[in-house]
Amino acid sequence: MKFARLIWANLVRKKVRLLLTIGSFAVALFLFAILGVVNNAFSLAGGVVSANRLVVTNRTSIINLLPLSYRDEILRVPGVSYVTHYNWFGGVYQDPKNFFPQFVMDPSTQRQVYPELKVPDQQWKTFLNDRQGAIVGAATMKRFGWKVGDRIPLHTTLYGLANVPFEFNIDGVYHGTHPQDDETQFWIQWDYFRENVPQAIKGQIGWYVIRIANPDDAPRIAKTIDQMYINSPNETRTETESAYAANWVKQFGNIKFLIVTIGMVVFFTLLLVTGNTMAIAVRERTPELAILKAIGFSDRAVLGFILSESMAIAIAGCVGLLLAAGAVPALAQAMPGMLPPLVMTPRLLLSGVGAALLVGIASAILPGLGAMRLRVVNALRRV
Amino acid sequence: MVSVDGGKSGSLIQVRELDKTYRRGNEDIHVLQGLNLDVDQGDFVAFMGPSGSGKTTMLNLLGGLDVPTRGSVTVAGDEITHMSRGKLTEWRARHVGFIFQMYNLIPVLTAFQNVELPLLLTKLSKAERRKHVEAALAIVGLADRMHHFPRQLSGGQEQRVAIARAIVADPTFLLCDEPTGDLDRKSADEVMELLRRLVDEYGKTVLMVTHDPVVARIAKQTLHMEKGVLVEAGARQEVVSGGAS
């Protein structure tokens, strides 16, 4: 601690340069955090993916439907606890830019398959008794300023429903139990939907989600289900929820590669900028470092000073992580439903701090070693 | 009393057969050749000589900043020429106070903080360090400037702060390399008066390189160096009568 004043004095001797260097760190760490959040969102690393859920879709494409009759057959497969099903409603609220995902769902099994999405019992009861009812995620409620009891018109062009004026009563609000849980969805009753769709679609659903008793049984159950419908007009593709999510992300391209590449370029540039700054700072102070050595400061102490300065800059630059943490909710609100939930996790923040310290050390190591090896006699001769 | 014949024993600083050779291209440059020197506690020695005669090299060797090609330097019983780099650094912190021509203060530290630097390497408490620093600054007459930064001080004052830094840890001896070389006459006189007081009143041992015969007059003895060899030794009066003034 007694050297803190010396380190601090050296650190703040060129204030503009210090601020610019900290700024470089902050911008890089801000980008790192935002890219990390997007990457996490796409890989659904958080709690929305459950190990004991499987998703069954039409093998041809997710836009091809499956018969509702599969539900009871799937339920009979050993190890399957619950089966629920969904249709993509694809409605527009007032303007297409007001996008949020709407799912036609089966109220009788929804809560068993997604127990982490909580709806107050009284609201759920109201919903069950209201064919035009809807349960809406807290984020969407907040976004549009809706209240329970509001009546929401939606217009969809799918399923030949372009001329049907759908209106829904908000009967309740669901909340996730993990930060990663998606709170933007709009749930619609299957029965009400089925009443309105053309006869040919009445018994067709978009996809099934299955809750299984033991995650270890997932491969066997998936194989069994797909075998059941092989060579049928509607073959299935059964996969874990995480595999399903990964396939969905693939539609956007290789996001992870893109993010990792951008992140590496950002940090490499930061390394060059900071390394150059530290090299200049050390070079400017060569005579002073020589004096410190002359009066008895060891080579390691001098190296320690340089590393400490660099680390202090890196830590100060972590303000970029805090800014990113503050920006993520705003970002999520600006793109509701367009991306998976954007969440800044403590782990990501810690990774950011770790990356900052790593760059801090790496950028100071060469100038620091130079200062460490500095010969007093040679350095003083340059004065 | 300073001796250059190498026959004395029991002196504070003993230099024996000291050689320093630099290699430049294919050529060996013999900066010091078989140097012998004995300096006692409380001596105040000025080294004079033309540029390139080896004065600063000798000072660097005595201060453990450089290592000789051959020979030995023993200070207060410690033979320093075979010490490792780390040991030598520790030894310097304990035994040597450096005063340079360009003062070499840390510009971002106050006078107090500059003087405190050598004490940061000791186990003294903060309060003890403060006491020592205030005492050192009082000796050099700058107690009222302790919170000034180097840029707020005159050249003479800066050098006095450098002297306070050199003496604050109570080293065995002081090495001064052209301590007045960058000062006007008045400031140079003040600095030399200060060095004289350190010797006469505080019993310090001072070895000083200078080009200035007026400055050299303040020392108790002056040694002349030419081509890496100490060629003359004399008492202060002899140097003066030898035409230094």
Side-chain angles (χ1 to χ4, degrees):
Chain A
M1 277 305 289
K2 58 186 175 182
F3 298 125
R5 193 159 45 186
L6 177 61
I7 293 166
W8 174 252
N10 280 320
L11 196 62
V12 299
R13 67 165 60 200
K14 303 268 186 187
K15 292 184 179 61
V16 174
R17 185 167 68 193
L18 174 70
L19 286 175
L20 290 175
T21 313
I22 290 174
S24 305
F25 259 99
V27 169
L29 290 171
F30 180 86
L31 275 174
F32 169 86
I34 295 294
L35 290 173
V37 163
V38 173
N39 186 41
N40 277 354
F42 274 101
S43 56
L44 290 178
V48 289
V49 173
S50 170
N52 60 2
R53 280 197 291 256
L54 299 179
V55 180
V56 184
T57 56
N58 191 304
R59 179 169 285 277
T60 308
S61 159
I62 191 163
I63 63 169
N64 290 63
L65 302 177
L66 289 171
L68 181 60
S69 59
Y70 284 9
R71 178 182 57 185
D72 295 339
E73 293 163 4
I74 292 171
L75 197 53
R76 285 197 289 272
V77 173
V80 172
S81 304
Y82 300 98
V83 180
T84 193
H85 56 84
Y86 296 91
N87 283 72
W88 178 256
F89 187 70
V92 171
Y93 171 64
Q94 295 177 340
D95 189 293
K97 72 180 179 191
N98 293 333
F99 173 82
F100 55 92
Q102 302 123 30
F103 297 128
V104 178
M105 43 75 89
D106 174 12
S108 65
T109 46
Q110 167 71 16
R111 292 172 106 187
Q112 285 80 15
V113 176
Y114 284 97
E116 70 268 32
L117 305 180
K118 303 286 188 193
V119 182
D121 287 342
Q122 189 54 45
Q123 293 182 356
W124 188 253
K125 205 170 168 183
T126 307
F127 174 63
L128 291 179
N129 294 323
D130 179 6
R131 295 165 78 79
Q132 282 183 274
I135 298 289
V136 186
T140 297
M141 290 291 284
K142 189 179 171 192
R143 179 183 170 201
F144 296 110
W146 292 342
K147 300 183 296 295
V148 172
D150 283 356
R151 198 160 169 80
I152 308 300
L154 290 179
H155 178 248
T156 180
T157 55
L158 303 179
Y159 312 105
L161 297 173
N163 297 320
V164 181
F166 281 99
E167 288 205 3
F168 300 94
N169 308 312
I170 300 180
D171 291 331
V173 181
Y174 79 81
H175 290 83
T177 45
H178 309 108
Q180 299 89 336
D181 289 338
D182 180 11
E183 293 185 344
T184 65
Q185 298 170 17
F186 190 99
W187 299 343
I188 299 164
Q189 296 238 22
W190 162 250
D191 288 344
Y192 181 51
F193 173 78
R194 193 176 53 178
E195 279 173 16
N196 289 282
V197 292
Q199 187 62 36
I201 304 176
K202 281 195 189 298
Q204 304 283 308
I205 61 94
W207 66 95
Y208 291 103
V209 179
I210 301 167
R211 180 134 186 228
I212 57 176
N214 183 356
D216 294 341
D217 291 337
R220 175 187 59 78
I221 293 171
K223 194 174 173 187
T224 305
I225 293 170
D226 289 344
Q227 287 289 335
M228 281 160 55
Y229 303 110
I230 200 161
N231 294 326
S232 75
N234 295 294
E235 293 191 352
T236 58
R237 177 196 299 277
T238 306
E239 54 200 343
T240 60
E241 195 172 32
S242 59
Y244 173 75
N247 284 335
W248 182 79
V249 167
K250 275 184 191 166
Q251 297 175 90
F252 294 84
N254 196 339
I255 299 286
K256 192 178 179 77
F257 174 77
L258 199 66
I259 286 173
V260 169
T261 306
I262 295 172
M264 284 176 69
V265 169
V266 167
F267 271 100
F268 188 66
T269 308
L270 177 67
L271 187 63
L272 294 181
V273 169
T274 321
N276 187 45
T277 304
M278 290 310 297
I280 292 171
V282 169
R283 188 171 174 77
E284 282 173 354
R285 277 156 40 201
T286 298
E288 293 170 32
L289 295 173
I291 291 300
L292 288 179
K293 287 186 165 195
I295 64 180
F297 284 82
S298 67
D299 294 342
R300 282 164 65 179
V302 169
L303 174 66
F305 294 153
I306 309 284
L307 284 176
S308 302
E309 285 175 40
S310 186
M311 304 273 268
I313 291 171
I315 289 168
C318 287
V319 70
L321 292 173
L322 298 179
L323 290 176
V328 164
L331 197 67
Q333 205 161 4
M335 296 188 293
M338 296 172 72
L339 288 175
L342 301 178
V343 178
M344 175 71 77
T345 60
R347 187 178 170 173
L348 186 60
L349 285 174
L350 280 177
S351 304
V353 173
L357 291 179
L358 212 61
V359 172
I361 292 171
S363 59
I365 200 77
L366 280 181
L369 287 174
M372 191 177 166
R373 294 195 195 109
L374 184 74
R375 291 193 68 234
V376 179
V377 175
N378 295 343
L380 290 177
R381 208 175 280 150
R382 290 185 217 160
V383 178
Chain B
M1 194 67 178
V2 175
S3 160
V4 295
D5 59 14
K8 198 174 166 183
S9 63
S11 48
L12 178 71
I13 301 170
Q14 286 187 341
V15 178
R16 294 290 177 266
E17 297 298 324
L18 201 65
D19 281 2
K20 182 66 184 177
T21 304
Y22 291 110
R23 190 156 185 87
R24 189 177 294 162
N26 291 326
E27 188 188 3
D28 283 337
I29 300 169
H30 302 282
V31 183
L32 296 179
Q33 300 178 59
L35 198 84
N36 290 302
L37 178 67
D38 287 274
V39 178
D40 287 332
Q41 171 79 38
D43 275 345
F44 186 179
V45 192
F47 295 93
M48 296 190 73
S51 295
S53 59
K55 305 183 298 294
T56 298
T57 299
M58 182 191 65
L59 225 55
N60 289 338
L61 293 172
L62 293 179
L65 297 177
D66 203 354
V67 287
T69 310
R70 192 176 68 88
S72 67
V73 175
T74 306
V75 177
D78 293 332
E79 215 279 79
I80 66 167
T81 43
H82 295 107
M83 282 183 183
S84 68
R85 208 171 139 115
K87 285 273 176 211
L88 213 46
T89 303
E90 286 173 24
W91 175 84
R92 278 201 304 271
R94 281 204 318 274
H95 292 286
V96 194
F98 289 99
I99 300 163
F100 300 97
Q101 179 179 350
M102 299 306 295
Y103 334 131
N104 288 325
L105 300 178
I106 309 288
V108 291
L109 298 181
T110 62
F112 181 96
Q113 292 163 347
N114 266 288
V115 175
E116 191 187 21
L117 281 173
L119 299 182
L120 296 180
L121 299 164
T122 67
K123 289 179 179 166
L124 292 176
S125 68
K126 192 175 178 183
E128 289 169 324
R129 292 202 304 268
R130 167 167 281 277
K131 206 170 134 189
H132 281 72
V133 172
E134 286 173 352
L137 282 168
I139 288 172
V140 300
L142 288 174
D144 57 337
R145 301 289 170 98
M146 66 171 71
H147 298 304
H148 286 57
F149 286 93
R151 65 175 180 278
Q152 297 167 319
L153 301 172
S154 69
Q157 288 171 331
E158 278 194 75
Q159 192 60 298
R160 280 150 63 192
V161 172
I163 292 171
R165 182 178 67 187
I167 62 172
V168 72
D170 194 23
T172 308
F173 64 109
L174 299 179
L175 292 176
C176 314
D177 193 356
E178 300 276 8
T180 60
D182 206 44
L183 299 176
D184 58 42
R185 175 53 57 200
K186 183 171 174 292
S187 300
D189 288 345
E190 286 172 1
V191 165
M192 290 314 299
E193 173 57 20
L194 180 56
L195 288 177
R196 188 197 60 75
R197 275 181 51 220
L198 290 175
V199 175
D200 292 347
E201 295 176 22
Y202 297 93
K204 295 289 172 197
T205 306
V206 177
L207 287 80
M208 173 179 70
V209 162
T210 181
H211 278 105
D212 186 347
V214 177
V215 165
R217 274 170 51 191
I218 311 293
K220 287 180 183 171
Q221 282 192 284
T222 299
L223 299 178
H224 288 264
M225 183 171 270
E226 276 188 23
K227 294 180 181 173
V229 179
L230 285 169
V231 294
E232 181 186 350
R236 185 192 302 173
Q237 290 76 9
E238 290 167 4
V239 173
V240 173
S241 63
S245 59

